[in-house]
Amino acid sequence: MDGTKTETGIAVRSRGAPGTAVWAAARPSPLKKMKKVWRLYVLISLPLIYLLLFKYWPMYGAQIAFKNYIVTKGIWGSEWVGLKHFIRFFESYEFWRIIRNTITLSLYSLAAGFPFPILLALSLNYVRNERFKKSVQMITYAPHFISVVVMVGIILELLDPRNGIVNTVLKLFGLQPVNFMGIPEYFKSIYVWSGIWQSVGFSCIIYLAALSSIDPALHEAAVVDGASKLQRMRHIDLPGLMPIAIIMLILNTGHMLDVGFEKVLLMQNPLNMRTSEVIDTYVYKVGLASQAVNYSYSSAIGLFKSLINLILLVAVNKIAQRTNQSSLW
Amino acid sequence: MESTAIRESRSDRIFTVINYTVLSLFLLIILYPLVYVVSASISDADAVIAGEVWLWPVRPTLDGYTAVFRHKLIWSGFANSIMYTAAGTLVNVVMTILAAYPLARKDFYGKNLFMFLFVFTMMFSGGLIPTYLVVKDLGLLNTTWAMILPGALAIWNMIVTRTYFQTTIPDELLEASQLDGCNDFRFVWSIVLPLSGPIIAVIALFYAVGHWNSYFSALMYLKSQSLYPLQLVLREILVQNEVDASMLIDVAEQAKREGLRELLKFSLIVVATVPLLIVYPFVQKYFVKGIMIGSLKG
């Protein structure tokens, strides 16, 4: 992937150094090339072992989704049952609810979370007071470092039906206190907006970087032509942000089905389960947390999700390639 | 932007006013919950329950904090988290460098194949249960290793590190040292590592924060409470509302107990976040740098 023309060009010129590998006028055999850098294989062996153990072995193990996995019989010994577990999932009354929850939750956070970091970055870009700029950045980045557990703890405290600050305010206006976490309809909004609160500052860094790489000459020319700041923002900054914004969108879409699983799991309670159950939490419950664990059924659901994710990622990337120059690979 | 210093037009002045207003609004919305939590944690329990705390602490007390530090699990949680974070980060950094350096080398035969093996795991995974079964088969369940090994390498960080190596370590350096009879091990150890201070700091920070904040692998792999990291202890108290009665031992009346429970939660939120907040001002710029390195393709 890096074998660009310039690189080989340089390598040819530095012919005097026998150590470089691309010094290959006579095309040595692969074995020779491998022998020359054998130490690099030693270096990478540990990460490779890790990859095989903790990434590829599970992929191999995912075949239990097509089997009736029985612990004592092991992966090989268990019998094949074909698509039984998948069909059971598709036909279960939970299926549509979980899929709908997963998709709406991720689309909601995608749509709501997308504009704010851009807005913040654009605003910050026009602040000339360095101290104000620094303090806004410092404070908006901070929530990013709060753990999910603490984050959810804060949400629960603020929204507590009896003594949370939000309900205190409601009471002040003579309204009835609301048990926010117990109302299924509110779950998604609480999830999404608390997520934006936590990540807006940090996500804007990448847009700030993009803005700083825009040629200042463009701005100068625009000022000479009498463009207002708003016009400069619209015609210079926004187009400059587009490529990176699209890449971010692709990245996020590719992981559409892994909605912030850890946070959802923490925010769930029996009252809001109707709207808060997503694929990942369901997999966890069926496979690990329930009384009668069902490894095979749970793996089937997980595999289904991984496949859809992969397809989405490839598809979105294709679309982006067609319509725009920027794509992931 | 400096060029606009000439004289602002009317519309630009309006723009500036709106801009500062919007930013101040962002600032307030983000800051308020943080200030409120800290204030509540040092306020009187009754005042918190009665909703008297708005912004500043009311009748300051440290009851919540004494309750926090009387909790046995919180101490062990702290100790465990520190241990997992230190050991885990060390393993992470070593693994990341071991993977990133060869992949950054142009003459590494089979580079593309290896790269594909790594990147593919970002897009597709066996899933939660198969991974759990692997950890179980390896006999790591309920051991410290379960907190370190399954996440020993983050591919994204590896790619960032590789890009850094490719862009900052010139090929000429490698050629020159090879002429002097330096082998690849020696080159990594005495040339690449000393030149990679910034990237190592950045990825170590990313990994460390990840370890400190993670709870899910502990939830999956650990059974005994003595191994629980802080976040899992927090989960029980903050989210599942399981406050150990024994820690409220010297408070008899139910009402006060209830108040202390609330207070304890606020204090706990602060205590759990403080280690990060203390280092935050110092490390913030490195995180920004890390994001920048990650975002720019080399």
Side-chain angles (χ1 to χ4, degrees):
Chain A
M1 54 167 41
D2 300 283
T4 53
K5 287 211 175 77
T6 46
E7 278 169 10
T8 32
I10 291 166
V12 169
R13 255 177 277 127
S14 59
R15 182 170 295 215
T20 40
V22 220
W23 178 74
R27 288 217 165 245
S29 69
L31 211 66
K32 245 188 188 150
K33 284 191 211 163
M34 288 169 80
K35 223 175 133 191
K36 212 190 262 163
V37 294
W38 67 270
R39 289 186 176 84
L40 297 183
Y41 295 99
V42 176
L43 288 179
I44 209 170
S45 60
L46 220 52
L48 272 183
I49 292 171
Y50 162 78
L51 220 56
L52 292 177
L53 274 186
F54 292 102
K55 300 288 177 190
Y56 286 97
W57 188 2
M59 285 185 207
Y60 166 78
Q63 60 174 280
I64 64 170
F66 306 95
K67 290 185 165 189
N68 238 348
Y69 181 68
I70 295 161
V71 182
T72 47
K73 285 189 187 167
I75 294 180
W76 266 122
S78 307
E79 54 166 331
W80 292 97
V81 293
L83 293 175
K84 186 184 126 191
H85 299 295
F86 291 91
I87 292 168
R88 183 179 149 202
F89 178 51
F90 298 149
E91 285 178 349
S92 79
Y93 75 101
E94 310 252 37
F95 178 72
W96 285 112
R97 193 168 54 103
I98 293 171
I99 297 293
R100 198 174 50 234
N101 283 343
T102 311
I103 291 175
T104 44
L105 198 57
S106 60
L107 281 182
Y108 188 178
S109 31
L110 207 62
F114 188 61
F116 288 96
I118 298 179
L119 185 68
L120 183 61
L122 284 173
S123 291
L124 272 174
N125 199 36
Y126 282 92
V127 170
R128 259 177 289 148
N129 182 337
E130 272 303 311
R131 270 184 59 188
F132 182 70
K133 190 172 175 178
K134 279 264 140 61
S135 37
V136 172
Q137 281 179 291
M138 184 113 177
I139 286 162
T140 50
Y141 296 170
H144 174 81
F145 296 92
I146 294 174
S147 75
V148 229
V149 180
V150 168
M151 177 68 199
V152 173
I154 293 177
I155 298 173
L156 295 182
E157 286 308 309
L158 296 183
L159 299 181
D160 190 277
R162 273 168 308 154
N163 41 41
I165 184 80
V166 176
N167 275 312
T168 313
V169 174
L170 287 184
K171 272 183 252 174
L172 205 69
F173 287 104
L175 296 164
Q176 284 296 311
V178 181
N179 181 10
F180 289 96
M181 296 309 292
I183 298 173
E185 283 69 29
Y186 289 173
F187 178 84
K188 291 195 175 82
S189 295
I190 298 173
Y191 173 87
V192 168
W193 292 101
S194 61
I196 294 175
W197 177 81
Q198 185 163 24
S199 67
V200 63
F202 219 65
S203 328
C204 96
I205 293 178
I206 203 156
Y207 296 113
L208 276 178
L211 283 176
S212 69
S213 66
I214 290 175
D215 189 357
L218 285 175
H219 279 285
E220 282 156 25
V223 170
V224 170
D225 288 345
S228 74
K229 284 184 178 175
L230 204 61
Q231 282 168 323
R232 277 157 55 199
M233 202 185 245
R234 225 182 96 195
H235 297 289
I236 301 175
D237 293 334
L238 267 184
L241 284 181
M242 277 320 278
I244 192 83
I246 285 173
I247 286 187
M248 298 306 285
L249 209 56
I250 297 173
L251 275 175
N252 294 337
T253 318
H255 290 279
M256 198 157 103
L257 298 194
D258 337 276
V259 271
F261 163 46
E262 302 202 334
K263 199 170 141 200
V264 176
L265 191 67
L266 289 168
M267 284 175 68
Q268 265 179 356
N269 60 40
L271 293 175
N272 63 27
M273 201 63 87
R274 182 156 61 81
T275 54
S276 65
E277 191 81 293
V278 294
I279 298 179
D280 280 322
T281 55
Y282 190 65
V283 168
Y284 170 69
K285 268 174 218 157
V286 174
L288 291 179
S290 77
Q291 293 295 329
V293 291
N294 192 338
Y295 288 143
S296 282
Y297 181 47
S298 182
S299 305
I301 304 168
L303 196 62
F304 167 73
K305 190 202 76 168
S306 293
L307 270 177
I308 304 272
N309 261 343
L310 186 65
I311 294 170
L312 272 177
L313 194 66
V314 173
V316 175
N317 196 54
K318 268 267 146 53
I319 296 169
Q321 259 171 350
R322 289 263 166 81
T323 56
N324 203 295
Q325 307 86 336
S326 45
S327 75
L328 268 185
W329 61 80
Chain B
M1 262 123 270
E2 291 76 45
S3 50
T4 50
I6 336 161
R7 211 171 66 93
E8 294 199 321
S9 70
R10 215 175 94 88
S11 72
D12 275 2
R13 255 175 292 149
I14 296 172
F15 174 89
T16 307
V17 171
I18 294 175
N19 196 22
Y20 276 79
T21 319
V22 168
L23 280 177
S24 307
L25 217 62
F26 260 114
L27 200 67
L28 283 181
I29 292 171
I30 294 202
L31 201 54
Y32 180 73
L34 299 174
V35 174
Y36 175 78
V37 167
V38 174
S39 294
S41 76
I42 49 175
S43 291
D44 185 64
D46 295 333
V48 175
I49 296 250
E52 290 170 35
V53 180
W54 289 101
L55 186 63
W56 302 120
V58 178
R59 297 192 292 282
T61 140
L62 289 176
D63 285 355
Y65 290 93
T66 32
V68 166
F69 287 111
R70 219 174 286 155
H71 199 293
K72 184 172 93 277
L73 270 183
I74 288 172
W75 284 108
S76 71
F78 249 109
N80 286 336
S81 278
I82 290 172
M83 212 267 284
Y84 298 146
T85 304
T89 307
L90 183 70
V91 171
N92 285 147
V93 170
V94 170
M95 289 287 269
T96 306
I97 293 170
L98 286 182
Y101 178 69
L103 291 172
R105 277 274 291 267
K106 291 187 193 94
D107 56 336
F108 182 46
Y109 188 77
K111 188 180 71 168
N112 289 348
L113 172 72
F114 286 125
M115 194 63 195
F116 176 78
L117 281 179
F118 279 91
V119 173
F120 184 67
T121 64
M122 285 173 93
M123 298 185 280
F124 187 78
S125 77
L128 187 75
I129 304 296
T131 310
Y132 172 83
L133 290 178
V134 165
V135 173
K136 194 173 146 203
D137 287 349
L138 291 171
L140 299 179
L141 275 195
N142 211 19
T143 65
T144 304
W145 293 110
M147 298 299 294
I148 297 170
L149 293 183
L153 177 67
I155 309 298
W156 182 255
N157 287 344
M158 190 278 285
I159 295 176
V160 171
T161 313
R162 185 193 76 132
T163 308
Y164 181 90
F165 287 155
Q166 280 173 342
T167 48
T168 53
I169 308 215
D171 294 341
E172 288 76 11
L173 214 53
L174 177 67
E175 287 161 22
S177 61
Q178 277 173 337
L179 273 183
D180 291 341
C182 172
N183 69 37
D184 291 324
F185 294 156
R186 178 99 193 265
F187 184 71
V188 172
W189 184 252
S190 3
I191 302 200
V192 175
L193 283 187
L195 286 177
S196 311
I199 190 70
I200 292 175
V202 166
I203 59 167
L205 282 170
F206 274 117
Y207 281 126
V209 170
H211 279 292
W212 184 263
N213 283 345
S214 83
Y215 83 94
F216 189 66
S217 46
L219 180 66
M220 267 200 302
Y221 302 135
L222 300 182
K223 291 277 171 293
S224 49
Q225 282 197 325
S226 61
L227 288 174
Y228 278 10
L230 185 62
Q231 301 296 335
L232 208 53
V233 180
L234 290 181
R235 172 176 173 267
E236 296 198 336
I237 300 174
L238 288 179
V239 180
Q240 300 189 316
N241 220 349
E242 284 164 14
V243 180
D244 187 358
S246 65
M247 47 165 296
L248 305 168
I249 202 142
D250 49 356
V251 199
E253 353 150 30
Q254 186 61 36
K256 192 151 189 200
R257 188 174 286 199
E258 181 65 21
L260 196 56
R261 182 189 294 231
E262 281 307 306
L263 204 53
L264 169 90
K265 288 190 189 169
F266 283 112
S267 311
L268 202 50
I269 290 174
V270 176
V271 168
T273 318
V274 151
L276 278 177
L277 287 189
I278 290 175
V279 292
Y280 171 62
F282 304 103
V283 302
Q284 195 225 104
K285 63 169 189 279
Y286 291 104
F287 277 100
V288 175
K289 209 195 270 175
I291 302 251
M292 303 283 205
I293 297 174
S295 65
L296 304 171
K297 289 194 189 161

